[in-house]
């Protein structure tokens, strides 16, 4: 078995996607679905039901009365917040592992992923668009491929670093050159295996190369790319791949964004990170 | 004792056993000041060049911006007895992503804004490690004033 095959095979060691994520994502993005439809999916999961109620009744949301029913909680919190609770529950563990190949300590990749996801929300608001759970999901999972590729990057780090530092390769291009596959493409394969919607798969796969997304090109691909560029600039959860990635100026122009918009978005990240920690890290 | 400085944050200390450390400098800049006589040191981790982008945020968190954070750092160090003439200044950070058109060159703008403030106030930088595309961690030992720089994926060296 050659190395690319071995890398792709190692996807199988990842846990399967929790069915609840899949079902919730389908219902939430179906315009015809109601809060009751979503309640029916999650009411059998006691852990998540308890957490949704706990978040809803937390000081952060400052309601005047206790909420006891799941349906009421969903109406108050909204589907997007529910999706964030589900994603947090399902992926914090796997995205918090240390990734030695990228020199990421325990928790670093999770911090970067959450920063990227929150920046898509901040960007969406700045562009005056509707929030989209698929966008948050894709942004949170965009670096999933690093979890698997880390061991292989560690083995070949000297060669990858040589291409990056001496020959001007981006880190993904160097991964592809040395290993035959990069963390973004691998992430795309993981998203495919988990049967995510096509737009999420594309946003993960092309998060460093949106210009290659072809017929899969969507706002999701572009916004995850731009949010990730901003997340890289903050350095939060940054690793040995550093900032060796290319930002796509055409996308900035397509979304009519300027450098000041990047700064404006970044000023909001700290508060959003603190708020998210306040209501998700409880319990 | 390790005192951690977050993103858009600052600490000044005169505790000899303390060290000030900031992780994850990407395009942000870390500014270290140290007065060797009174052994007072400070570390600022600012994110963006100019507070005019969000004056309200700058009021709540002056350490987010070069133009509000840097004067704050110096004034705070003076409160602890540091003297401008004796102060040693070292800086690190200001990285950027690969970007031909400069949409994301906050690192460069951060550095330029900082230099302008230092120039106007006759402050010299004694050592710096800026630019490029790497993540940096900076650490100041208050007992000795030594500043250590770690580049992600590599070892630590003195700045």
């Amino acid at each position: 078995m050659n190395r690319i095959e071995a890398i792709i095979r190692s996807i199988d060691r990842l846990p399967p996607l929790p069915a609840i994520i899949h079902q919730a994502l389908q219902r939430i993005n179906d315009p015809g679905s109601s809060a009751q439809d979503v309640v029916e999916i999650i009411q059998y999961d006691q852990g998540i039901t308890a957490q949704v109620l706990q978040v809803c009744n937390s000081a952060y949301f400052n309601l005047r009365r206790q909420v006891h029913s799941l349906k009421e909680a969903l109406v108050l919190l909204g589907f997007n917040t529910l999706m964030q609770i589900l994603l947090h529950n399902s992926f914090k563990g796997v995205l918090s592992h240390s990734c030695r190949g990228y020199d990421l300590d325990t928790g670093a990749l999770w911090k970067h992923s959450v920063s990227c996801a929150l920046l898509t929300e901040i960007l969406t608001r700045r562009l005056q668009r509707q929030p989209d759970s698929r966008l948050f999901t894709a942004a949170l999972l965009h670096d999933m491929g690093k979890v698997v590729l880390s061991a292989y990057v560690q083995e070949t780090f000297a060669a990858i670093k040589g291409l990056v530092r001496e020959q001007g390769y981006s880190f993904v291009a160097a991964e592809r050159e040395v290993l035959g596959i990069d963390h973004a493409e691998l992430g795309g394969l993981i998203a495919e295996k988990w049967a995510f919607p096509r737009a999420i798969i594309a946003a993960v796969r092309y998060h460093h190369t949106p210009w290659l997304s072809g017929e899969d090109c969507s706002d999701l691909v572009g916004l995850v790319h731009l949010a990730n560029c901003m997340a890289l600039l903050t350095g939060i959860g940054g690793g040995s791949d550093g900032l060796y990635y290319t930002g796509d100026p055409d996308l900035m122009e397509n979304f009519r964004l300027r450098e000041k918009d990047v700064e404006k978005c970044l000023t909001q990240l700290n508060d959003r990170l603190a708020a998210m920690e306040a209501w998700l890290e409880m319990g | 004792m390790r005192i951690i400085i977050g993103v858009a944050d600052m600490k000044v200390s005169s505790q000899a056993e303390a060290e000030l450390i900031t992780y994850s400098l990407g395009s942000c800049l870390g500014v270290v000041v140290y007065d060797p006589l009174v052994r007072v040191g400070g570390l600022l981790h600012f994110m963006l060049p100019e507070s005019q982008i969000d004056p309200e945020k700058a009021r709540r968190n002056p350490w987010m911006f070069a133009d509000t954070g840097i004067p704050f750092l110096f004034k705070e160090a003076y409160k602890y007895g540091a003297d401008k003439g004796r102060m040693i200044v070292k800086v690190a950070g200001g990285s950027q992503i690969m970007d031909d058109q400069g949409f994301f060159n906050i690192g460069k703008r951060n550095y330029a804004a900082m230099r302008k403030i230092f120039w106007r106030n006759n402050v010299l930088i004694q050592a710096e490690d800026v630019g490029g595309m790497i993540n940096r961690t900076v650490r100041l030992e208050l007992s000795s004033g030594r500043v250590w720089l770690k580049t992600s994926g590599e070892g630590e060296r003195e700045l």
Side-chain angles (χ1 to χ4, degrees), chain A residues 6-24:
Chain A
I7 293 170
I8 292 173
R9 287 258 181 100
S10 50
I11 292 178
D12 295 334
R13 291 203 293 270
L14 286 171
L17 182 71
I20 200 163
I21 292 279
H22 210 223
Q23 293 166 342

Side-chain angles (χ1 to χ4, degrees), chain B residues 40-57:
Chain B
V40 165
L43 175 49
L44 166 73
H45 180 146
F46 77 82
M47 246 182 135
L48 297 167
E50 285 166 14
S51 57
Q52 69 183 30
I53 193 119
D54 194 338
E56 167 53 26
K57 189 121 319 180

Side-chain angles (χ1 to χ4, degrees), chain A residues 36-55:
Chain A
Q36 188 56 41
D37 294 330
V38 179
V39 167
E40 277 163 23
I41 297 167
I42 63 173
Q43 64 187 348
Y44 302 106
D45 189 318
Q46 289 183 348
I48 286 180
T49 300
Q51 204 185 353
V52 169
L53 290 172
Q54 201 183 2
V55 168

